Amino acid sequence: MIMSSFFMHHNRGDIYLVLYPFDDKELEKLRPGIILDTMENRSIVIKVTSHAERSNDPGDIEIRYWREAGLKQPSVARCSQFVPLDHKKIQQYLGQLQKEDLLNVLERFYK
């Protein structure tokens, strides 16, 4: 089955390398991102970083099973930092969050 490049479906909890915008929206960085939801030609993506959890950000949560998720190093989901991205900015599939990590991320995101 050939899928249109204009519509792709990503599953909740999938981790991809994405072109994630910096705060000023002018620059982008290729980094891991967690798919939260997909609609037509965009997906809502949560930022993933290798920096430690920040105690002053209640949106940060450690990804416990980072190796199993296809990440190269210990990582944190920054649930307070998410963006809608066009599918052309979603580059390479890395893996999927384990069930426990996905539930923790969703709980933190919806708080």
Side-chain angles (χ1 to χ4, degrees):
M1 180 172 123
I2 297 175
M3 218 178 232
S4 165
S5 61
F6 295 106
F7 180 76
M8 297 174 69
H9 182 78
H10 303 106
N11 295 310
R12 178 176 280 171
D14 283 352
I15 300 176
Y16 283 83
L17 281 179
V18 302
L19 288 170
Y20 199 93
F22 283 96
D23 291 335
D24 64 9
K25 308 285 188 213
E26 297 288 323
L27 300 172
E28 300 171 320
K29 178 180 180 182
L30 191 61
R31 68 174 331 116
I34 300 167
I35 302 296
L36 181 64
D37 199 6
T38 297
M39 57 211 129
E40 296 185 18
N41 64 342
R42 296 187 314 176
S43 290
I44 304 296
V45 179
I46 295 173
K47 180 179 179 178
V48 173
T49 182
S50 60
H51 294 273
E53 280 183 79
R54 299 176 299 191
S55 59
N56 64 343
D57 189 340
D60 281 10
I61 188 159
E62 174 189 16
I63 299 172
R64 294 185 64 198
Y65 301 102
W66 55 272
R67 280 189 190 97
E68 294 83 349
L71 297 165
K72 293 181 179 179
Q73 53 192 326
S75 299
V76 169
R78 293 246 155 99
C79 298
S80 61
Q81 295 182 19
F82 59 94
V83 293
L85 291 179
D86 289 336
H87 287 162
K88 64 184 175 189
K89 302 224 183 228
I90 299 172
Q91 305 287 307
Q92 178 185 349
Y93 179 79
L94 296 177
Q96 187 171 45
L97 288 177
Q98 298 295 300
K99 187 175 183 176
E100 180 182 331
D101 281 328
L102 178 57
L103 290 173
N104 289 337
V105 165
L106 291 173
E107 182 180 336
R108 189 67 53 100
F109 178 81
Y110 286 110
K111 268 191 174 179

